[in-house]
Amino acid sequence: MNLSLFDSEVAPRRDVETAVERFRELMQRPESPIRHLLHQPARPAELVPVPDNVHPQLSQALAARGIGQLYTHQAAAFESASRGENVVVVTPTASGKTLCYNLPVWDCLLRDPNARAFYLFPTKALSEDQLAGFNSAVEAMGSSIRAFTYDGDTPQDARKAIRERANVVLTNPDMLHAGILPHHTKWAKAFENLRYIVLDELHYYRGVYGSHLANILRRLKRICEFYGSKPRFICSSATIANPRELAERLTETEFTLVDRNGAPSGEKYFIFYNPPVVNRNLGIRRSYLHEARRIAVDFIEHGQQTLVFANNRLATEILVTYLKDACARMPAGADSVRGYRGGYLPRERREIERKLRDGAIRAVVATNALELGVDIGSLDGVVMAGYPGTVASTWQRAGRAGRRQSTSVAVMVASSNPLDQFIIEHPDYFFTRAPEHAQINPDNLEVLINHLKCAAFELPLREGEKFGPRDIQPLCDFLVESRLLHHSAGAWHWTSDTYPADAISLRSVTSDNFVVIDETGEPKVIAEVAYTAAPSELHEKAIYLHEARQFQVERLDFENRKAYVRRVECDYFTDAIDYTQVKELDRFDEQCVHEGVMACHGEVRVNRQIVGFKKVKFYTNENVGAGNLSLPEQEMHTTAFWLHFPVAFLARFPDLAPADKQAGLVGLGNAFRAVAALLLMSDPRDLGVAITEDITGSLAVWEPDLFLYDNFAGGVGLSAPLHAMTRRLLEMSAELIRSCTCGSGCPSCVGPLGETGERGKEAAVRILAELLAS
């Protein structure tokens, strides 16, 4: 039976409701791929009068723009800020959060023309987007308030004027870290009069990035204290489980939470789509990328402006290629489809945002770069190719449709990985689940000591001074031994001729991005790639995809961080093969799970190397070639949770060959990562999986370790709670594997048959049963 939504006899759709009705019809078919259809009715606004204590000039300007009342959360945020409180506002996408911080800042600036405010946005695109709206409102006010963006794109000759004249500086954490705080003497007037610090998209600051930002804010508050100011914080966030806790952890200050949403919303539909099974015994489903393409093409054909989300760069570029091919046969043409991701140059991203708002582009395929609140106009539909990894990100992506209170639809197409399959087959779990906690670890030693260097560069570190909860003396003594600090007159002074902020990347373990240079004609830079991703994306003979164009990497200059590419026409893409080794360095804690099997938590060293690549054909996913590589190894120290399996335990399965036992552990690792993401309420990409002790030499001494490690240098605090939940991890993993209907293993439980072998699933089930028997 053809279960496709896209039967040729379907009549053309004219609106979103008709599209949704077709999904409803599909739900009635046997073995329907539709697992859930959620309807959210439109909701009216909850309005209150503009507070009496708003500056009269501001009240008049709001009235002139047709704003005679405020949403309840906007008024509550203003009242709290007026009382001198730090405020964190948590409401859904497109609920008017911008006015929650603009209103108190405008009010303050109208009362004190010398006052200053810093607005921090995660990306330059958001800064530019907010500046346009800010200035149009100020112009309507007839005020002399001056606002400017200050980032890496700001011309040098404009920077001095901005430092001296701007009431509001819109910037990002990267620029604050490297371009403002180290040069605070040039910003003396701003720091003396700093009244507000605004943190937009608070939920974005989790993991490594959030840990860095917490330390940047420690440095900022230190400098403000030096200049005699004590600014208040206003934060805005999409829905997460712990907004007040996150705001307080980032700023080390108490906050008032405003979370009652008063904004109206249009009618919304959310559909869970699981691609049909094509081989039940092997558990193989139709490609989720193909199904996402088919749904998106259907939306585009019927006039619905569509945003497609993919979870990584490669999936994004593959979908751009597929959609451009499909739209080339439509009146709109291939140019009506664009890609959008971090590696694109800024001018490309601004052009795409503008054309999406104007309606010139009918579809965009994006990574999480478009999750944030950049204004891209009113979209009809969102298609998610794969579960984004967290409940919060899923709702954030779904909320990008229908931002103008129109009817909208969001479709999540599940991939075959275990986490996607668990979520798609348990919709009640998802829809009743609270969003995740945003976790940060600002006292990660690697992060902390780097920012302590920056703090010492900015102002001497005084004896007895705190930088977070830690006593800084032992760290400063270490930096003295490293000849970076000098101790005199009761303080530590920076003595090195280096510039410490330049050596820190806020988003990864290194600050060195690779540039991609196209040498097809006149050499030109076409993209940037993060240092950690370069070996897998820019190795020699790799096909680098950019806006559906194929470039072959001719040479990777690792030392100078450059990749040289040439335009090619080919029908395949490349997929890197990596090899990871994990070595235990220190064991913080351990507990016996079952007769010698130990669950451990501690520090590890992770070595990862790209050893080869596959050539994969577009559309069919056939493997059409391969190659070997020898690239530099990447090393990282982090924290991990692991299970140690002694010889005596593995001897309990004499009928399983050693290779089957190893396959069973590989399968367990796949299941563990999916379940751990659910238990920790984290993104599964934050965890890495590895097995040590491959079967070599004497089988009598084979004692493997199965590691789940934090995928960030120094760790971000995932492994300790996972160690505490060992029993729950084992129970839920057993349930995940048992409930899968495949015969011998599939991507939805322990992994595909080719990865785990004929008896991999059986081995995993038996190992778990033995561990849980105690």
Side-chain angles (χ1 to χ4, degrees), residues 321-558:
T321 302
Y322 290 173
L323 289 179
K324 277 183 174 287
D325 286 351
C327 289
R329 298 186 289 273
M330 298 183 201
D335 290 342
S336 65
V337 176
R338 300 292 296 271
Y340 188 104
R341 57 180 175 80
Y344 288 9
L345 299 178
R347 69 180 187 292
E348 283 184 286
R349 296 203 296 271
R350 300 301 87 76
E351 177 202 2
I352 294 164
E353 292 158 14
R354 176 175 50 79
K355 288 187 174 181
L356 197 53
R357 281 194 299 271
D358 297 344
I361 294 173
R362 302 308 302 161
V364 166
V365 185
T367 58
N368 61 355
L370 268 184
E371 257 182 48
L372 301 176
V374 176
D375 183 10
I376 52 175
S378 180
L379 300 173
D380 300 304
V382 164
V383 179
M384 288 173 257
Y387 177 58
T390 65
V391 174
S393 285
T394 306
W395 283 115
Q396 185 79 351
R397 292 183 183 189
R400 293 303 258 159
R403 286 174 65 86
R404 300 276 196 263
Q405 299 170 35
S406 56
T407 302
S408 61
V409 60
V411 183
M412 185 170 76
V413 182
S415 77
S416 291
N417 83 50
L419 182 57
D420 282 41
Q421 288 300 308
F422 183 90
I423 292 293
I424 210 78
E425 294 294 342
H426 298 81
D428 291 343
Y429 179 93
F430 174 86
F431 288 111
T432 58
R433 179 85 160 167
E436 290 78 10
H437 289 70
Q439 304 288 355
I440 63 170
N441 182 15
D443 301 317
N444 171 314
L445 192 57
E446 185 167 337
V447 172
L448 181 70
I449 202 162
N450 277 324
H451 285 281
L452 197 63
K453 294 176 191 176
C454 296
F457 178 91
E458 291 150 8
L459 291 169
L461 294 160
R462 304 181 305 276
E463 287 181 0
E465 183 179 348
K466 292 282 188 182
F467 194 75
R470 280 181 181 265
D471 178 5
I472 63 171
Q473 179 164 344
L475 298 176
C476 289
D477 290 343
F478 169 76
L479 295 175
V480 168
E481 291 174 18
S482 304
R483 300 186 178 181
L484 297 173
L485 299 185
H486 172 71
H487 185 261
S488 67
W492 289 273
H493 303 261
W494 183 257
T495 57
S496 171
D497 57 2
T498 59
Y499 185 67
D502 265 356
I504 305 171
S505 166
L506 304 189
R507 301 163 203 257
S508 62
V509 293
T510 176
S511 58
D512 296 339
N513 280 351
F514 281 70
V515 293
V516 182
I517 301 170
D518 178 15
E519 293 188 304
T520 308
E522 186 72 22
K524 62 178 180 180
V525 174
I526 60 169
E528 280 187 309
V529 173
Y531 174 88
T532 49
S536 57
E537 296 181 11
L538 297 176
H539 58 79
E540 290 182 7
K541 298 181 182 177
I543 298 298
Y544 181 76
L545 298 172
H546 187 83
E547 282 268 55
R549 300 190 301 271
Q550 292 111 34
F551 298 86
Q552 180 164 296
V553 179
E554 303 288 333
R555 182 163 58 92
L556 178 61
D557 182 350
F558 220 92

Side-chain angles (χ1 to χ4, degrees), residues 567-597:
R567 181 76 189 272
V568 295
E569 293 289 340
C570 60
D571 62 353
Y572 67 89
F573 58 92
T574 51
D575 192 13
I577 303 166
D578 69 336
Y579 176 67
T580 302
Q581 283 185 307
V582 181
K583 181 175 176 59
E584 176 186 340
L585 299 178
D586 190 13
R587 193 172 295 194
F588 303 152
D589 196 6
E590 63 180 9
Q591 58 177 309
C592 183
V593 178
H594 180 69
E595 297 189 18
V597 176

Side-chain angles (χ1 to χ4, degrees), residues 186-220:
K186 296 180 180 179
W187 291 82
K189 187 175 179 181
F191 281 115
E192 286 169 358
N193 294 284
L194 191 60
R195 298 291 179 267
Y196 280 106
I197 299 167
V198 171
L199 295 177
D200 195 21
E201 307 285 359
L202 183 77
H203 58 279
Y204 193 79
Y205 300 113
R206 53 185 284 277
V208 170
Y209 195 30
S211 302
H212 278 296
L213 179 63
N215 282 284
I216 292 168
L217 294 177
R218 286 170 176 170
R219 290 160 50 198
L220 172 60

Side-chain angles (χ1 to χ4, degrees), residues 70 258 281 346 468 759:
L70 299 179
V258 175
N281 187 52
R759 302 187 71 185

Side-chain angles (χ1 to χ4, degrees), residues 151-358:
D151 54 38
D153 297 335
T154 304
Q156 290 293 332
D157 56 358
R159 296 188 177 194
K160 183 178 180 182
I162 293 171
R163 289 194 294 266
E164 293 177 354
R165 298 179 59 241
N167 296 102
V168 177
V169 176
L170 294 86
T171 187
N172 53 68
D174 307 76
M175 195 65 181
L176 181 64
H177 155 68
I180 296 178
L181 297 182
H183 307 290
H184 61 85
T185 53
K186 296 180 180 179
W187 291 82
K189 187 175 179 181
F191 281 115
E192 286 169 358
N193 294 284
L194 191 60
R195 298 291 179 267
Y196 280 106
I197 299 167
V198 171
L199 295 177
D200 195 21
E201 307 285 359
L202 183 77
H203 58 279
Y204 193 79
Y205 300 113
R206 53 185 284 277
V208 170
Y209 195 30
S211 302
H212 278 296
L213 179 63
N215 282 284
I216 292 168
L217 294 177
R218 286 170 176 170
R219 290 160 50 198
L220 172 60
K221 289 170 69 178
R222 199 170 165 261
I223 288 171
C224 288
E225 184 183 352
F226 176 77
Y227 286 99
S229 65
K230 191 173 182 181
R232 285 167 289 174
F233 289 90
I234 304 177
C235 304
S236 74
S237 174
T239 305
I240 52 174
N242 61 333
R244 181 174 6 202
E245 177 194 333
L246 178 61
E248 292 179 347
R249 193 93 195 276
L250 283 166
T251 63
E252 295 172 337
T253 308
E254 289 188 358
F255 272 78
T256 297
L257 175 66
V258 175
D259 60 356
R260 182 181 170 184
N261 176 32
S265 66
E267 192 174 20
K268 296 179 185 293
Y269 295 92
F270 198 161
I271 295 159
F272 273 22
Y273 183 98
N274 202 8
V277 174
V278 294
N279 185 319
R280 189 163 300 281
N281 187 52
L282 297 179
I284 296 174
R285 296 180 178 273
R286 283 186 192 164
S287 164
Y288 79 103
L289 293 180
H290 285 301
E291 295 298 283
R293 174 188 66 85
R294 288 153 64 111
I295 294 170
V297 167
D298 186 77
F299 283 176
I300 297 164
E301 278 183 328
H302 292 88
Q304 280 130 20
Q305 197 176 25
T306 303
L307 175 57
V308 181
F309 279 108
N311 289 335
N312 56 60
R313 182 201 70 85
L314 183 58
T316 301
E317 292 294 347
I318 290 170
L319 279 168
V320 172
T321 302
Y322 290 173
L323 289 179
K324 277 183 174 287
D325 286 351
C327 289
R329 298 186 289 273
M330 298 183 201
D335 290 342
S336 65
V337 176
R338 300 292 296 271
Y340 188 104
R341 57 180 175 80
Y344 288 9
L345 299 178
R347 69 180 187 292
E348 283 184 286
R349 296 203 296 271
R350 300 301 87 76
E351 177 202 2
I352 294 164
E353 292 158 14
R354 176 175 50 79
K355 288 187 174 181
L356 197 53
R357 281 194 299 271
D358 297 344

